[in-house]
Amino acid sequence: MLAAAVLVATLGAACGSSGSKQSTASTTTAAGGAVTTATTAGATSSTAATALPTTMDDWEGLWAKERDVIVKRIKDNNWGKSADGKKLTGPSGFTVDLSKCPAGWSDTEGLTDTSIKIGQAIAQSGTLADYGNIGRTMTVLFDYYSKKGIFKDANGKTRTVDYTAKDDGYDPARTIPLVDELIDSSKVFAVWTLGSPSTMKTYDKLNQRCIPQPEAMTGHAAWGDPVNHPWTTGAPAPSYSTEAVLWGAFIEQHLSEFLAGKFTVASLVMNNDFGKLYDQAFKAFLAQSTLLKDRVNYVTETIEPTAATITDPMTTLAAKNPTVFIAMVAGTPCTQAVTEAAQNGMHEKVKYLFQPETCSGSSFVSKEKVGGDGSASNGWWLLNPGAKDFKDPTQVNDAYVKWGRQLLQGAGLNPDASSNFGAGFGYGWPMVQFLIMAGQLPGGLTRTNLILVQRAVDMTDPYNLPGLRLHMDGNKDSYFVEGGVFQKFDSVKQSWVSQGNVIDLDGKSSNCAWDQSAGICR
């Protein structure tokens, strides 16, 4: 069993309750890398949002002020690399023993006087090829800020970002040689990876080599490990463990809607590190839930990431007559789950159907993807990780979304073609901020400064829905974002509609020293 628990924030409101009473029910679970204790009474969920900027000039002004605060805090506390170069220190006990870095290691490898070389292994083919659009957006974003000359460091050097993405097809066997090529031949400054399996296969090596692996494009709990893997940080989204716990808490909150006695929860699980964490975290929640452990019959079917169709496992699950269905998958299978559920009767009969946060964008369930009038997607649920959707017609007038869409269109990319074009801002914007701040620290832009600012960040991320911040605090808080909002898809509006307030679990998640052989947090 995974040793952790989650605080569920006023789920009565989050799940659409119209009452003002706050739940005091306890929801403790062994969900890897999730959170430490357990009562909804002390949670933060529906804080009134501070007025956000309405122009890009105001946004840029806000970020500049927030960056200054972070840089000042780091300098005032004398965090950074020691004079002898043997130790990196940061907030809340964060330290890295640099004497363990390999012989010949360079804190500035991948930098020239004019460029910052960043490498990426990402899916551009196969069933998860749509995520390759994240990299296409980041190229546009980095080019935009590079042309503005914003990457100027304390040594007076102004650089541009040289970002290179290589296709691994979401296959860790292809990721490994690509990462080796990036660090040994291209000698990049930092390495990005997409997917839990690919990141899991490379993060030991990158940490041993003291090479930054920022914002790994995966929500696995294992990336919350600043002690054993200080060079790796995870996605600016809740961990899959936390999401699984919130699914369980949602079911608890809606238990009165189900018939008395046992009922079935069915899940379609991707057969890899990603899907397995979802599955085991949800099982752990059920095992400790006094409300659910004797009432839920939990059944699963697995699929391979490369599966061309999911008809057989979905037909098998439909035959179990589930009351709740959860898709623990990513990429094309998210859309396929919708179309299969419409064809096998699950859409009509199942009380709640859930998409995963990995497919939170509307393009996965859009009319264009599911066909017909789009009604196959109507009524599906989602724990949105707090992200804005650049494709959503109800959000296109948001100042940042509008600017981002124009930036993409200027580069010849259609933001309506994929929600992952918007997701690229979710990863690219933080990296822009990290590079700027790292350059402002003593010594200018270095690998150690890049990691330091990530571990000390506290900023208003324009990609996040109001109520969530991009925040990390050394060894105390090792996840950028923990929270989100439950949403329901409206096929007429072609939009995910929030069903309550944002759930904010910032700082509630414990670290996760992941044991790969056992598949648990130690």
Side-chain angles (χ1 to χ4, degrees), residues 436-448:
I436 295 170
M437 289 186 287
Q440 293 172 353
L441 295 176
L445 180 59
T446 61
R447 286 169 161 174
T448 50

Side-chain angles (χ1 to χ4, degrees), residues 324-492:
V324 178
F325 169 76
I326 304 171
M328 299 179 179
V329 295
T332 301
C334 290
T335 304
Q336 291 174 328
V338 173
T339 56
E340 292 293 341
Q343 293 170 10
N344 64 28
M346 288 175 67
H347 184 238
E348 181 180 335
K349 297 177 182 178
V350 176
K351 182 75 173 177
Y352 290 105
L353 303 111
F354 275 93
Q355 286 281 307
E357 67 171 85
T358 47
C359 297
S360 58
S362 59
S363 64
F364 289 98
V365 295
S366 67
K367 186 189 310 184
E368 296 84 0
K369 286 294 180 68
V370 303
D373 61 0
S375 60
S377 303
N378 197 57
W380 276 75
W381 283 75
L382 168 80
L383 178 70
N384 183 323
K388 295 176 183 176
D389 185 354
F390 281 40
K391 175 179 166 57
D392 190 322
T394 68
Q395 297 184 31
V396 293
N397 289 322
D398 173 274
Y400 189 72
V401 172
K402 186 175 183 178
W403 171 82
R405 286 175 58 86
Q406 290 173 346
L407 195 64
L408 291 169
Q409 290 164 343
L413 300 176
N414 178 10
D416 292 325
S418 168
S419 295
N420 276 319
F421 282 122
F425 289 89
Y427 289 98
W429 177 86
M431 190 61 166
V432 168
Q433 307 306 314
F434 299 149
L435 291 172
I436 295 170
M437 289 186 287
Q440 293 172 353
L441 295 176
L445 180 59
T446 61
R447 286 169 161 174
T448 50
N449 280 343
L450 178 65
I451 290 298
L452 176 56
V453 296
Q454 290 181 70
R455 299 293 178 183
V457 71
D458 187 5
M459 296 189 72
T460 309
D461 189 334
Y463 182 67
N464 282 343
L465 296 173
L468 296 173
R469 291 183 67 77
L470 189 77
H471 176 239
M472 197 176 279
D473 186 12
N475 289 355
K476 184 179 178 182
D477 179 3
S478 55
Y479 298 90
F480 285 122
V481 175
E482 283 282 77
V485 61
F486 282 101
Q487 296 183 327
K488 190 176 181 180
F489 195 72
D490 185 323
S491 63
V492 175

Side-chain angles (χ1 to χ4, degrees), residues 38 75 86 106-107 110 167 177 231 292 384 433 436 445 490:
K75 290 179 177 178
K86 293 183 179 180
S106 170
D107 206 5
D167 179 23
W231 299 91
L292 301 181
N384 183 323
Q433 307 306 314
I436 295 170
L445 180 59
D490 185 323

